[in-house]
């Protein structure tokens, strides 16, 4: 992909995220914006007139047309723990509304221990740690150690720049000793796309972090030091083809910077939180939702993350996925009561239907999108 490619997608030229200096933007919450409210985010997306789009832009109808009355979960394979909204960055596309000001929402030790007790009752093979920047939570290393001790595959969803923060620079070696997979976010292997989405200077810091990871043995094909890069499109379009782009990224990073990684995955941007704010401000909301709905791909449904993942919030509440968590849509039992990780009823959990809304088209568009990247 050429350096200009991030601005071009399935609908032709699309605007890049606007440059606003070093992205000193604060969270929606800190700016006191109404859109900080999850219910208003849902309402803003539902309010767009998609009556001329397939299935009227109704996710339940799209599912029904593909032969499914509802989304039902399968066995829990991935136990995803969101340690909080605190982050050293304030990326424009963030679906968490994370940032340095989000100091209140952080998982405490009692909830972390409850997560481990719940984990022991499931057959999950993977523990997926996310945030915010999960590494900033004082219980991060405790959870990594405990999950690794249980023989779980552990994933650290890492924004890369956090590895340069004083007190965390030992993390590449520490994580490698425990066989943790690092899933590092990098919008693009070139500077322009990365700094446009995450703020000026992010690209250089990300490369420095990747060098630290390479020096710790990450990115060289060792399954116990797996380095995955994760990219979201820098604009209102769907990602390019994953396999072809991975080849280009590997060659570009190796030739120009001597950096290696193991695999590249893409995530569609979800019309949630700060990305939703940008869609509204840039006049792209209707167009992007139409793109998602028009690109509905039934072949992605079986691989949706809500079917094999349980998502735990920083306060212990249980969700079908991280996106539903950010929209304050808890996983529901038949009695409509939400679950808490302290007292999980696994039978009720298995019997539930996944809570879906229009944002779910973000997971089923094109090649699809889950925590593990494209679904097809
Ligand atoms: S996208 Fe990730 S790195 Fe950026 S602000 Fe959100 S949580 Fe932090
Ligand atoms: S947002 Fe995606 S993963 Fe979450 S419930 Fe909807 S389809 Fe499933």
């Amino acid at each position: 992909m050429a350096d200009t490619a991030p601005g071009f997608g399935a609908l032709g030229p699309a605007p890049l995220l606007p440059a606003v200096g070093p992205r000193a933007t604060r969270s929606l919450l800190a700016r006191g914006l109404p859109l900080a409210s999850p219910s208003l985010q849902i309402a803003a997306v539902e309010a767009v007139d998609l009556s001329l789009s397939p299935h009227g832009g109704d996710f339940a109808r799209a599912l029904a047309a593909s032969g499914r009355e509802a989304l039902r979960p399968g066995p829990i394979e991935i136990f995803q723990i969101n340690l909080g909204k605190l982050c050293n960055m304030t990326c424009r596309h963030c679906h968490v509304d994370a940032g340095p000001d989000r100091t209140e929402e952080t998982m405490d030790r009692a909830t972390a221990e409850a997560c481990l007790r719940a984990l022991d009752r499931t057959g999950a093979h993977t523990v997926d740690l996310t945030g915010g920047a999960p590494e900033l939570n004082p219980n991060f290393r405790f959870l990594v150690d405990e999950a690794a001790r249980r023989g779980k595959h552990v994933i650290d969803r890492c924004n890369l720049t956090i590895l340069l923060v004083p007190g965390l620079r030992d993390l590449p070696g520490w994580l490698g000793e425990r066989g943790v997979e690092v899933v590092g976010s990098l919008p693009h292997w070139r500077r322009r796309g990365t700094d446009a989405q995450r703020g000026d200077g992010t690209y250089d810091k990300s490369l420095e972090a990747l060098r630290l990871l390479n020096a710790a043995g990450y990115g060289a094909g060792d399954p116990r030091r797996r380095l995955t890069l994760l990219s979201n499109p820098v604009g209102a379009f769907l990602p390019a083809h994953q396999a072809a782009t991975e080849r280009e990224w590997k060659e570009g990073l190796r030739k120009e910077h001597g950096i290696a990684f193991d695999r590249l995955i893409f995530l569609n941007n979800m019309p949630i939180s700060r990305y939703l704010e940008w869609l509204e401000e840039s006049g792209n909301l209707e167009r992007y939702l139409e793109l998602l709905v028009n690109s509905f791909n039934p072949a992605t449904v079986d691989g949706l993350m809500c079917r094999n993942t349980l998502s735990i919030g920083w306060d212990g509440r249980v969700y079908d996925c991280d996106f539903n968590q950010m929209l304050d849509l808890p996983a529901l039992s038949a009695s409509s009561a939400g679950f808490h990780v302290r007292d999980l009823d696994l039978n009720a959990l298995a019997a539930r239907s996944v809570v879906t809304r229009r944002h779910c088209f973000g997971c089923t568009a094109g090649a699809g999108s889950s925590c593990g990247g494209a679904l097809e």
Side-chain angles (χ1 to χ4, degrees), residues 87-91 93-96 98-99 131-133 159 185 198 274:
C87 189
N88 58 320
M89 300 177 73
T90 44
C91 308
H93 73 303
C94 183
H95 76 271
V96 180
N159 67 23
S185 343
R198 317 207 106 189
R274 294 208 290 266

Side-chain angles (χ1 to χ4, degrees), residues 99-262:
D101 57 280
R102 302 301 297 264
T103 54
E104 299 298 314
E105 300 95 341
T106 186
M107 182 173 282
D108 61 20
R109 184 60 162 248
T111 308
E113 287 172 348
C115 285
L116 293 169
R117 286 195 297 276
L119 171 69
D120 289 341
R121 295 173 53 221
T122 74
H125 52 66
T126 295
V127 173
D128 184 337
L129 301 175
T130 188
E135 303 88 347
L136 288 174
N137 186 299
N139 297 300
F140 172 76
R141 294 192 197 227
F142 165 71
L143 281 171
V144 170
D145 268 335
E146 287 297 319
R149 194 172 63 76
R150 287 163 165 81
K152 307 295 182 187
H153 176 62
V154 183
I155 293 173
D156 172 24
R157 290 193 182 263
C158 174
N159 67 23
L160 295 178
T161 66
I162 197 71
L163 300 178
L164 308 183
V165 166
L168 297 178
R169 291 185 77 102
D170 68 313
L171 267 182
W174 189 89
L175 293 168
E177 285 163 12
R178 287 152 183 83
V180 175
E181 177 179 0
V182 173
V183 176
S185 343
L186 190 72
H188 200 266
W189 77 270
R190 290 187 188 273
R191 180 186 307 277
R192 182 182 172 204
T194 296
D195 283 354
Q197 189 178 79
R198 317 207 106 189
D200 294 342
T202 300
Y203 183 72
D204 290 335
K205 288 182 188 167
S206 300
L207 293 190
E208 191 180 342
L210 287 171
R211 288 192 189 96
L212 291 176
L213 286 162
N214 280 177
Y218 275 93
D222 179 350
R224 286 190 50 84
R225 285 176 169 78
R226 194 179 201 195
L227 176 55
T228 298
L229 293 185
L230 183 154
S231 171
N232 296 69
V234 190
F237 53 91
L238 299 179
H241 186 266
Q242 196 159 284
T245 311
E246 179 182 287
R247 284 193 292 277
E248 184 216 318
W249 281 47
K250 280 190 168 169
E251 188 152 325
L253 280 174
R254 183 180 55 77
K255 270 192 184 161
E256 294 199 14
H257 304 289
I259 287 170
F261 67 96
D262 293 309

Side-chain angles (χ1 to χ4, degrees), residues 53-65:
S53 298
H55 320 296
D58 182 322
F59 191 72
R61 278 175 56 193
L63 273 183

